[in-house]
Structure formats: C-alpha cells, structure tokens
C-alpha cells in the first residue's frame, strides 16, 4: 500500500545548487520508470533490458528526492521516463508534490508523455496542479506513427491531447526531427499545433544508445528544416529563451510559437539549468556524459537528508560545461550507451 505522501515533511530550504560555472540549477527532470508502452525507433531498441522492479525508486523515495532538490532551489519539476503514465502510483506522486506548488516552494510541476494514457489521467493531473504537459508527437500519419513507435496508435495520442486541453492544461508538442518524416510533414504539423493553440518544438536526434536503426540515416538538421519552413511561413525570432535549450520563433501567419532544440548543429549548454534523476536513483548532471551519482544506495542504507544533500551538492559541483555530441561529417556515432528513456528525457 502507498504511504500517504501528503503527510511528508514540508520542504526546508538549504543552500541553492550552483555549479562551478556559476549556473544555478533550478530544473529537475525526474524519471519514474524506464519502461514504456512504445518503442520509438530513435529512442529504444526493440528488445530493451529494463530495470527490475526492486531497482526502481519507490514512489516515497521519488517524493523524498524531489523535495530535497526543491529545498535547494529547484523551481521546475518535470516527471518523465520512459513513459511516466505507465508507472503505478504516479498520480499519488503528483498529488504529493502539488503541496510544494501550494506552499510556493515549487513554481511548476509538469510531465512529458507520449500521450497514450493521457486521456485517462488528464483530470487527475490537472487536479494535482499540473498546468502544462509536453506530448511527443512526430507525425500525424497513423501508419507512419505506428512505424516510428513500433506499433503505437495515433488516435489514442490525439484523444489524450484533446483531454488534456479539455482539463484546462496547456499542451506543448515535441517532435523529433526525422529525415523522411518531419521534412515531409512539417507544414502540416505547424498547422495542426498552432490551429489548436499549441507550441511545437522540434528536436534534433541525439546519439543516445543503440536502437537498431542508423542514426545518421534518421538525422535531420534543424538548420535545413528551418530553411524549408521559411519557404511557407514567416518566422520572427523571440528573444526570451526561458532558460531552456529551445530557441523560439513566432510564426507570423498563425501567431503560434515554434521551438528549435539543436544539440547537434548549435550547442546550447552555456546556461544549462537542469539535472536529471533516473528511475533507479542515479543523478546525471549532463545528458551527454556517462558519469552519475547514485542516490538510491545511500537512501536505502539510512542516509540522512544532510548526507543526501552532500551527495547532490558534490555531483552538481562537477556538472560538466556541456555535452560533446557531434556530427563527424554527416555521420553521427553513438555517443552514450545509455538510452534517453533510461536517463529521463
Ligand atoms: N515517453 C515520454 C515521451 O515520449 O514523451 C517521455 C520520455 S521520452 C524519452 C522524452 C523525449 O525524449 C521525447 O520527446 C522523445 O521524443 C525524446 N527522445 C527520445 N530519444 C531521443 C533521442 N535519441 N534524441 C532526441 N530526443 C529523443
Ligand atoms: Fe517511449 Fe518516449 Fe522513448 Fe518513445 S520516446 S520509446 S514514448 S520513452
């Protein structure tokens, strides 16, 4: 049985997390599972090895860790995975953490989802204080969707998006730029997103883990895609970057926003404000590096909050300046063994 997380101690504030490059860490992406009900071709291989259940942080452990980060100045918390909405107890976690929204220690509680189970959870999420969700959607073509996700049903995702909007949440769409997909559909995707009041963010694929597909073949640089977009739409750059990796442009014809996340063609690490904790309790301070710090083991051997704060502070002090993903000519070598779904996208 799940413990009543609403009775957990309030957040007590301690020193903010600042790395050796003077970047203040204010954003945590917390993965609640490495499992998923899809197998997107740029994210996972067909036969993935997942953590065994006892390896995953419990909902109580996730809650405790989130609060430790909030105490150190994390203001934005994104629940992710794998697919967060397949994790049992995830709504209890949202409900508990919504207390931090109410007491002002947290500014934003949000999630990234593939949308398949969003229709089912939309009302609960909204009731827990979630105001915005990111939904990953790479194509509007049902057959192509099934191919990219290895079997997913597009209509479920569309239902999920509609349910989230009906529940009062703002939806942002994320599309990974894929050659032979996004270049064919980009105008339709913009029309779809902006026609429903959603920002669309395009993301370059990153070389994280083997997927059984050639990443070089899949890769579509956003520099080229932006030129294609410019043939049909008028883009005006938006100065405010809200501290994230996306650079935004307004599409004059729709009034909507288009985001560009370009880890390969244009680095963005200089003002990185985020860290990630995996579902197994590893803290990674950079998506592009292998070294992480285990927080689960000390938690399970009785470490005090002070001891955990020390471990977190030590990891942040060593946050690398940036990732070193690169295209070698047009070739993209796999950089890390770890899949995006394992780290928490
Ligand atoms: N399952 C949820 C989803 O798909 O939104 C959350 C986890 S998923 C790992 C988070 C984001 O990472 C998704 O938007 C997905 O498209 C993106 N992603 C996965 N693998 C990637 C890769 N190799 N390069 C760039 N983005 C990737
Ligand atoms: Fe699952 Fe998200 Fe990875 Fe797709 S991108 S396989 S939905 S974790």
């Amino acid at each position: 049985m799940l413990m009543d997380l609403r009775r957990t101690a309030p957040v007590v504030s301690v020193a903010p997390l600042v790395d050796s490059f003077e970047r203040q860490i204010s954003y945590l992406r917390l993965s609640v599972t490495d499992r998923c009900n899809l197998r997107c071709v740029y994210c996972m291989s067909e036969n993935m090895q997942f953590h065994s259940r006892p390896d995953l942080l419990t909902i109580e452990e996730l809650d405790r860790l989130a609060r430790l980060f909030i105490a150190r100045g994390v203001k934005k918390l994104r629940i992710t995975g794998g697919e967060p909405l397949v994790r049992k107890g995830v709504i209890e976690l949202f409900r508990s953490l919504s207390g931090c929204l109410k007491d002002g220690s947290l500014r934003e509680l949000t999630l990234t989802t593939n949308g398949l189970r969003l229709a089912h959870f939309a009302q609960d999420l909204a009731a827990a204080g979630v105001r915005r969700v990111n939904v990953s959607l790479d194509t509007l073509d049902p057959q192509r969707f099934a191919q990219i996700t290895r079997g997913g049903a597009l209509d479920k995702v569309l239902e999920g998006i509609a349910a989230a909007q009906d529940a009062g949440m703002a939806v942002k769409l994320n599309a990974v730029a894929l050659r032979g997909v996004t270049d064919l559909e980009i105008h339709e995707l913009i029309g779809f997103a902006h026609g429903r009041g959603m920002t669309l963010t395009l993301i370059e694929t990153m070389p994280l883990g083997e997927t059984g597909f050639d990443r070089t073949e899949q890769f579509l640089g956003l520099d080229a895609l932006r030129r294609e977009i410019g043939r049909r739409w008028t883009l005006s750059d938006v100065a405010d970057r809200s501290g994230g990796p996306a650079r935004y442009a307004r599409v004059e014809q729709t009034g909507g926003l288009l985001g560009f996340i370009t880890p390969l063609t244009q680095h963005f690490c200089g003002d990185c404000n985020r860290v990630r904790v995996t579902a197994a309790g590893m803290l990674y301070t950079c998506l592009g590096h292998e070294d992480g710090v285990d927080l689960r083991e000390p938690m399970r051997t009785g470490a005090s909050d002070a001891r955990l704060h020390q471990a977190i502070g030590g990891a942040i002090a060593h946050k690398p300046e940036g990732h070193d993903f690169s295209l070698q000519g047009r070739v993209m070598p796999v950089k890390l063994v770890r899949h995006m779904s394992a780290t928490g996208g």
Side-chain angles (χ1 to χ4, degrees), residues 174-222:
N174 286 341
V176 168
L178 298 168
R179 186 192 297 270
V181 178
T182 326
D183 39 1
L184 303 180
E185 282 192 52
I186 184 61
H187 302 301
E188 202 187 341
L189 273 171
I190 292 172
F192 174 83
H194 291 182
R196 289 163 180 74
M198 299 182 279
T199 294
L200 171 66
T201 296
L202 303 164
I203 308 168
E204 285 175 347
T205 53
M206 286 173 269
L208 303 172
E210 293 290 350
T211 60
F213 281 84
D214 182 347
R215 289 199 183 274
T216 309
E217 283 291 305
Q218 290 176 334
F219 183 77
L220 175 63
L222 291 188

Side-chain angles (χ1 to χ4, degrees), residues 88-99:
K88 199 166 167 224
V90 72
I91 294 297
E92 279 77 3
L93 181 64
F94 275 104
R95 282 190 190 125
S96 168
L97 293 172
S98 73

Side-chain angles (χ1 to χ4, degrees), residues 113-147:
T113 173
N114 61 30
L116 280 184
R117 306 196 71 199
L118 192 52
H120 181 73
F121 287 115
Q123 293 292 343
D124 288 339
L125 289 166
V130 176
R131 298 279 161 263
R132 297 196 302 152
V133 295
N134 284 10
V135 178
S136 301
L137 181 64
D138 306 319
T139 172
L140 293 166
D141 178 278
Q143 266 184 335
R144 223 179 253 149
F145 185 85
Q147 272 165 8

